[in-house]
Amino acid sequence: MGIKIGILGLGTVGAGTVQLLLDNVGRHPLLKEVEICRVGVKSLDKPRTVELPVGIITTDLEAIVTDPQIDIIVELIGGIDRARELILKAIANGKHVVTANKAVISRFGAEIFTAANQAGVYVMLEAAVGGGIPVIQPLKQSLSVNRINTVMGIVNGTTNYILTRMQTEGSSFDDVLADAQQLGYAEADPTADVEGWDAADKIAILASLAFGGRINRDEVFSEGIRQVSKTDISYADKLGFVIKLLAIAKRCSPVSPSSTPTLSVRVHPTFVPKTHPLASINGVYNAILVEGEPLGQVMFFGPGAGAGATASAVSSDILNLVAHLKSRQNSDTNSHLDPLLACSHQDYCQIAPVSELEARFYARFLTRDQSGVIGKLGTCFGKYGVSLESVVQTGFQGELAEIVVVTHDVQEGKFKQALDEIRTFEAIHSIPSLLRVI
Ligand code: HSE
């Protein structure tokens, strides 16, 4: 008996998934067991790139998630409220769910996984982070014997494309964004990508899996790339760095058997040393670096979006579920949920506020060209315990001198206090840039 699936959404990823499932020669033999029963769309009039038998496509998405024949619902409509509602309804009707929806999982994962565990069904989300890169299953399975200390990555292709072009062409953010929109690498409304919200959704999911606890999405700090200027990219280059939008989840507390860890979970443009493994990830590509004990570092790299890549991740989840359902069909017992496929975290991780974290910073000052300015900066930083790694004055912006500093590790709160005092100095015109360094 085949495994019947209902797909919600026939956009780029939906069409890619249908195409992959229908063209199953040379792929895993279990894919032949998949039967696409219903496909839900917004409008029947839209031209489609995939051919499906008549009668399969419907605009009645409710009918799909409640259809007693269907075993697996594949949610690919995106958005938040409607997707959440349909996922919960599918679970309530005993269906397993495959979704690519990071926005829903990062915000409503606790509700969805609680419902799924009670209903005895799986919710699979390989495509929600890193597009085609397999990182969710590795974190749940192959890497789960490690004590993970850090997960960090470039998980947004749009911003990586923009920053890469700014770096290679010396262009401004606004010019590259406009071009990226024309070429289809950035959405007409690019807010979620350029403000770092999409990356924040993704790191919340990765952190939850890596550190074995729930993450409150509202506590994930995010700063986008709008304020990254070509001047900063050029200084970064001279100082031996590239600027990347990094999503970082790091353990801040020692490993303890009795409590969920305290973490730092954040997204921000970051000075990355050119020798760092993430520095060479360019264009729309994504990469996720996981550091654990005893493994050390492992990096996942590949296409973070696109029809084929994301369809690969969606279909791998479908395949996992098909394998599970077939083995159930072939055994007499109604087995319990496999803990390596399910998600059963109960407790929330503590998230440390960024102001309490230690980090290195890059700051760019525009100052009046007077004697003693660098000395005054140094004295003020010293007063707040901020130790400087380098101070450079190379350029001028009109009449104003440009001074760039890179700090050693400092507490963010102390660094900001020093900057507040520096802003009051008569010689200081402005502090146009402030970026974190790893
Ligand atoms: N907007 C996302 C990106 C697509 O640019 O990476 C995949 O989530």
Side-chain angles (χ1 to χ4, degrees):
M1 208 165 53
I3 302 297
K4 296 186 167 51
I5 70 168
I7 299 179
L8 311 179
L10 198 50
T12 307
V13 180
T17 302
V18 168
Q19 211 151 31
L20 190 154
L21 294 174
L22 294 179
D23 172 23
N24 56 27
V25 178
R27 311 190 199 280
H28 196 288
L30 267 181
L31 281 179
K32 295 195 175 66
E33 303 289 334
V34 177
E35 206 180 302
I36 302 172
C37 243
R38 318 289 304 271
V39 177
V41 296
K42 230 192 230 165
S43 155
L44 293 176
D45 302 330
K46 210 173 152 187
R48 304 285 167 193
T49 51
V50 282
E51 273 185 37
L52 282 158
V54 183
I56 284 197
I57 300 190
T58 171
T59 54
D60 189 352
L61 275 59
E62 299 274 330
I64 300 181
V65 296
T66 54
D67 184 337
Q69 285 192 82
I70 290 178
D71 304 294
I72 301 170
I73 294 294
V74 183
E75 183 278 306
L76 302 171
I77 60 171
I80 298 187
D81 294 334
R82 180 85 174 121
R84 167 181 167 243
E85 196 186 304
L86 288 164
I87 289 172
L88 288 170
K89 196 161 254 183
I91 292 169
N93 280 273
K95 322 269 178 238
H96 301 284
V97 174
V98 172
T99 178
N101 198 323
K102 63 253 162 183
V104 168
I105 294 296
S106 62
R107 285 166 185 76
F108 299 104
E111 180 187 30
I112 288 170
F113 286 107
T114 302
N117 292 336
Q118 277 164 6
V121 297
Y122 296 107
V123 176
M124 308 286 281
L125 53 134
E126 188 61 70
V129 183
I133 305 171
V135 65
I136 301 289
Q137 273 321 104
L139 279 174
K140 278 190 193 172
Q141 300 187 345
S142 345
L143 298 177
S144 60
V145 293
N146 286 270
R147 289 194 194 103
I148 307 291
N149 293 315
T150 312
V151 180
M152 70 164 85
I154 293 167
V155 289
N156 184 270
T158 303
T159 47
N160 203 42
Y161 175 83
I162 293 172
L163 290 173
T164 303
R165 279 196 52 191
M166 286 174 73
Q167 184 192 318
T168 50
E169 297 166 12
S171 316
S172 73
F173 171 81
D174 290 326
D175 288 347
V176 179
L177 173 63
D179 206 32
Q181 284 173 312
Q182 277 207 327
L183 293 167
Y185 290 120
E187 308 259 357
D189 177 1
T191 316
D193 292 320
V194 301
E195 296 298 341
W197 303 339
D198 172 82
D201 291 346
K202 292 168 176 168
I203 196 67
I205 293 171
L206 293 176
S208 175
L209 295 169
F211 297 101
R214 292 177 175 172
I215 302 290
N216 181 347
R217 170 65 182 80
D218 293 340
E219 290 180 325
V220 179
F221 172 86
S222 67
E223 187 181 297
I225 64 163
R226 275 188 201 277
Q227 83 288 7
V228 174
S229 69
K230 56 184 182 185
T231 309
D232 296 317
I233 288 186
S234 158
Y235 271 115
D237 183 47
K238 284 181 198 141
L239 293 164
F241 296 90
V242 288
I243 299 180
K244 296 287 181 192
L245 183 73
L246 290 195
I248 304 170
K250 228 176 171 137
R251 187 188 292 280
C252 303
S253 58
V255 176
S256 145
S258 59
S259 60
T260 45
T262 300
L263 305 176
S264 144
V265 188
R266 56 212 160 90
V267 172
H268 46 68
T270 312
F271 267 46
V272 178
K274 286 180 185 171
T275 50
H276 191 279
L278 291 169
S280 54
I281 309 304
N282 288 323
V284 291
Y285 281 94
N286 284 193
I288 298 117
L289 185 68
V290 181
E291 195 264 312
E293 183 275 321
L295 173 72
Q297 288 190 336
V298 61
M299 190 158 93
F300 300 85
F301 164 76
T310 314
S312 158
V314 169
S315 305
S316 78
D317 280 345
I318 296 172
L319 182 70
N320 259 313
L321 291 174
V322 169
H324 172 78
L325 291 171
K326 291 304 282 182
S327 72
R328 260 196 198 180
Q329 276 176 4
N330 297 336
S331 77
D332 298 336
T333 54
N334 201 4
S335 56
H336 291 294
L337 284 181
D338 173 348
L340 293 182
L341 283 187
C343 192
S344 56
H345 306 136
Q346 299 294 329
D347 300 320
Y348 278 87
C349 297
Q350 298 283 326
I351 308 287
V354 276
S355 59
E356 288 175 14
L357 297 175
E358 295 237 315
R360 290 167 68 203
F361 285 90
Y362 154 93
R364 182 162 57 91
F365 301 85
L366 288 179
T367 78
R368 293 173 231 298
D369 194 20
Q370 296 171 358
S371 60
V373 178
I374 288 182
K376 275 189 187 159
L377 285 178
T379 308
C380 186
F381 280 131
K383 181 174 153 191
Y384 289 93
V386 174
S387 162
L388 300 182
E389 182 187 285
S390 63
V391 182
V392 186
Q393 179 182 348
T394 54
F396 280 85
Q397 300 261 351
E399 298 288 289
L400 297 168
E402 202 161 43
I403 299 173
V404 158
V405 304
V406 176
T407 73
H408 287 294
D409 266 338
V410 295
Q411 201 193 32
E412 179 156 342
K414 294 263 183 224
F415 184 61
K416 296 269 171 79
Q417 279 177 334
L419 291 182
D420 286 343
E421 187 164 325
I422 288 167
R423 275 192 194 93
T424 67
F425 295 173
E426 191 271 325
I428 299 294
H429 174 272
S430 56
I431 309 177
S433 309
L434 185 60
L435 291 161
R436 292 167 183 82
V437 179
I438 52 160

